[in-house]
Amino acid sequence: MNTGLISVRYATALFDFAVETKSVERVYGEAKMLTHMFLKMGELRIVLDNPVLPQSEKRQLILNAAGGSTSKTFEHFTDLLLKNGRENQVQYIMLKYIDLYRKDKNILYGKLTTAFEVDKATEERLISLVTDKTGGTLELEKVLDPEILGGFMLEVEDVRWDASLSGQLTRIKNEYIERNRRIV
């Protein structure tokens, strides 16, 4: 069966179950924490794929990675995953759940990359500009990258605005290269 199809079905089932149990927001937080742990510790996936590790230890590992004190909804769902042998799909399922939650709540995900820390007023102004244009709310991840030299890069869903100094220098360089090609 297709990995994408499995994650969509399980994530949809989890979302529906969370709606029934009125724990959608809490499960969303647990899903974000778990996906963050997968990014932070790549070994987590390897450990969950280990067929020798007992299910009870896999269960405890998933629940701890999701924040420790998890909701009953998340615990029941984890038990279902382990019963069906889908623990190797948990990262994809959580990512899809996050997508479903954001779509349901009209939340856009954005990533702001700057060379230096941005003050709160500038961040709020940027968020309000995006939310005014889109009509939704914006969940913003801030990343510091000194390699962009100055300015910022903002990615919201599939749109990217590059107002970085390094981006401007690259565009100028490419312009000069193109002009020199025409001369020769």
Side-chain angles (χ1 to χ4, degrees):
M1 192 174 229
N2 184 344
T3 301
L5 186 59
I6 292 169
S7 61
V8 170
R9 286 183 178 173
Y10 275 88
T12 304
L14 175 59
F15 188 79
D16 293 343
F17 185 48
V19 168
E20 285 178 25
T21 58
K22 295 177 178 41
S23 59
V24 177
E25 286 80 15
R26 183 153 182 212
V27 173
Y28 174 65
E30 294 162 350
K32 281 178 42 177
M33 175 64 81
L34 187 55
T35 56
H36 175 73
M37 294 307 285
F38 271 107
L39 289 174
K40 193 173 176 183
M41 297 186 311
E43 304 85 25
L44 185 57
R45 169 181 262 142
I46 296 168
V47 171
L48 289 176
D49 284 342
N50 186 349
V52 177
L53 192 67
Q55 282 193 348
S56 60
E57 289 184 31
K58 289 181 181 182
R59 179 184 193 273
Q60 196 58 43
L61 187 63
I62 292 170
L63 296 178
N64 285 340
S69 177
T70 55
S71 64
K72 291 292 183 195
T73 303
F74 191 81
E75 289 178 17
H76 289 305
F77 185 74
T78 303
D79 293 339
L80 176 71
L81 286 177
L82 292 168
K83 177 183 169 195
N84 294 336
R86 300 292 187 194
E87 61 271 11
N88 61 342
Q89 301 290 317
V90 71
Q91 181 181 13
Y92 304 115
I93 294 167
M94 292 301 111
L95 287 169
K96 187 60 186 171
Y97 179 86
I98 290 169
D99 287 344
L100 291 171
Y101 177 86
R102 287 178 178 159
K103 185 177 180 184
D104 184 65
K105 303 293 184 186
N106 197 19
I107 298 173
L108 299 172
Y109 171 77
K111 183 175 165 183
L112 176 65
T113 306
T114 57
F116 305 100
E117 191 70 36
V118 176
D119 65 343
K120 195 70 175 166
T122 304
E123 180 184 337
E124 288 173 359
R125 194 167 27 139
L126 194 59
I127 290 173
S128 70
L129 284 170
V130 172
T131 56
D132 289 346
K133 296 284 184 195
T134 61
T137 56
L138 179 65
E139 192 174 282
L140 193 64
E141 175 189 352
K142 296 182 286 184
V143 177
L144 290 178
D145 183 7
E147 300 224 351
I148 69 168
L149 304 175
F152 68 92
M153 289 190 304
L154 178 64
E155 299 171 53
V156 178
E157 300 298 317
D158 296 330
V159 180
R160 181 178 180 181
W161 294 278
D162 187 351
S164 66
L165 189 55
S166 64
Q168 291 173 13
L169 290 172
T170 302
R171 285 189 291 278
I172 292 169
K173 175 186 166 190
N174 291 339
E175 239 177 74
Y176 280 120
I177 290 171
E178 186 60 36
R179 282 185 187 169
N180 286 335
R181 282 190 190 149
R182 285 189 237 146
I183 294 173
V184 175

